[in-house]
Amino acid sequence: MIIIWGMKVLRRPTGRVADFCSICRCPRAFTLVRVALCSHVYYIPVGPGGLIGHEIKCESCGFATWTDASRYMDVRADRAMALPALISRTFPDFHERVADRLAMEDRAR
């Protein structure tokens, strides 16, 4: 009898946040994803797994990158929330933290 057992990477969306997209070159809504490594038996996960980190995925272009989840004040589940409201609730100091990048993008245009 063969038992298939091993490790598997699990990606679970936790909600939405706002951040700067390097591809779109402007503020965008992102999906925050929890990335964990867990054991599996016959490719069925056993438990929630150990946290590897978090990644964000742009809802406009699909660009994904690693992030530090502690930089966001909140994670929203509301898919209909407009971008300005999403910025103020999830990343209130966005304009201060990304001011240099926004100025560079304005000069490039």
Side-chain angles (χ1 to χ4, degrees):
M1 179 176 177
I2 297 176
I3 296 175
I4 300 174
W5 174 81
M7 300 299 282
K8 179 178 183 174
V9 174
L10 288 180
R11 286 182 165 81
R12 307 256 176 179
T14 59
R16 297 175 75 216
V17 295
D19 210 331
F20 181 84
C21 180
S22 300
I23 302 299
C24 299
R25 296 183 168 194
C26 61
R28 293 284 189 202
F30 284 81
T31 301
L32 182 67
V33 179
R34 179 184 188 273
V35 183
L37 185 64
C38 74
S39 298
H40 72 80
V41 177
Y42 294 102
Y43 303 104
I44 299 171
V46 179
L51 180 67
I52 295 174
H54 290 86
E55 64 183 20
I56 52 176
K57 185 175 181 183
C58 180
E59 293 179 358
S60 296
C61 68
F63 173 70
T65 187
W66 290 100
T67 190
D68 180 14
S70 65
R71 73 186 280 164
Y72 307 110
M73 297 298 289
D74 192 13
V75 178
R76 307 299 293 186
D78 185 9
R79 304 230 14 112
M81 185 177 286
L83 184 61
L86 192 63
I87 290 173
S88 67
R89 297 221 177 149
T90 63
F91 199 176
D93 57 345
F94 171 79
H95 294 290
E96 292 82 25
R97 292 180 86 181
V98 194
D100 294 338
R101 180 62 190 245
L102 293 173
M104 183 178 70
E105 293 298 336
D106 287 338
R107 285 192 305 271
R109 283 189 204 114

